[in-house]
Amino acid sequence: MKKVFSLLAGVFLCASIWAQGPHHINVYIGGFNAEYQETRTESYTSDLYSMYEPHYQINSGPTATVEYNFAVLPWLEVGAQANYAHLNTLTWRTVNGIQTDPKQSKEIFSVLPEAKFRIPSPRHFRLYGKAAAGIIINAGAYTGAPVQFAWDLVPIGCEWGGQRVYGTAELCYGNIIRGGRIGIGFRF
């Protein structure tokens, strides 16, 4: 994973040598996956019923996102984003404390076409919002539908710094990430 990000960063840095243009590439690391936040069901009640019911523990790492946009108008960009996340789950029963299912994992890939709307702002601090919709592809032993609808809304995002290489952060809500992403962007 580190090798892939290093290679992508090298390619993007080389591309940023050219003058500022209509092409924008962003690389993000986001908070926990939205599915992790929805299904986190650790319960430690002491009633008799809960002793016989299975308990779940789900672990997730960060979500990696790569995004490409093309500036159609000064206030509108169209493009796509690709996301990757990994989930692990463990199931057990309280009555015997034994793991009932082997540890399962799930790889989550998603591809979403998107539209980004720029808000008039200063040259070195740019605000935007975006909307994206596409598909999620689930791979691995974890249960669930192999293909699902994906959506991602960013009510507010910002870019700061230079005109070719810049930092970026956004607040997200959707079934990809709930929370935020931070990353680096390149224009060429």
Side-chain angles (χ1 to χ4, degrees):
M1 186 79 159
K2 290 180 183 178
K3 290 180 184 178
V4 172
F5 279 122
S6 298
L7 179 63
L8 286 174
V11 169
F12 297 144
L13 285 174
C14 290
S16 69
I17 294 171
W18 296 309
Q20 176 185 343
H23 303 280
H24 304 256
I25 296 176
N26 298 326
V27 180
Y28 297 98
I29 291 291
F32 292 112
N33 183 279
E35 184 173 341
Y36 165 78
Q37 292 177 337
E38 288 175 359
T39 59
R40 191 164 173 97
T41 57
E42 292 179 32
S43 62
Y44 297 105
T45 58
S46 59
D47 61 348
L48 184 60
Y49 177 77
S50 70
M51 289 176 54
Y52 294 95
E53 285 299 306
H55 297 274
Y56 305 97
Q57 181 180 11
I58 299 174
N59 297 315
S60 172
T63 299
T65 303
V66 175
E67 172 183 88
Y68 168 78
N69 286 305
F70 180 78
V72 179
L73 298 169
W75 56 271
L76 175 66
E77 296 176 9
V78 294
Q81 65 173 304
N83 301 285
Y84 168 78
H86 180 79
L87 293 177
N88 288 320
T89 184
L90 182 65
T91 306
W92 75 92
R93 293 181 190 275
T94 305
V95 83
N96 56 9
I98 298 174
Q99 183 176 333
T100 58
D101 293 329
K103 190 173 185 179
Q104 297 178 346
S105 65
K106 179 179 185 178
E107 308 292 329
I108 303 170
F109 302 94
S110 58
V111 177
L112 297 91
E114 69 181 19
K116 185 185 264 188
F117 305 97
R118 297 237 170 243
I119 300 168
S121 48
R123 184 175 168 97
H124 293 288
F125 185 80
R126 299 167 295 277
L127 298 173
Y128 64 88
K130 70 179 175 183
I135 61 169
I136 295 174
I137 300 167
N138 297 311
Y142 194 86
T143 58
V147 177
Q148 299 172 327
F149 175 72
W151 59 281
D152 191 29
L153 293 176
V154 175
I156 189 77
C158 64
E159 298 172 354
W160 65 90
Q163 297 304 305
R164 285 193 236 165
V165 179
Y166 53 90
T168 183
E170 46 190 44
L171 295 174
C172 310
Y173 187 80
N175 63 354
I176 305 295
I177 293 177
R178 289 196 183 140
R181 285 189 271 248
I182 190 161
I184 188 168
F186 307 94
R187 278 191 194 85
F188 56 96

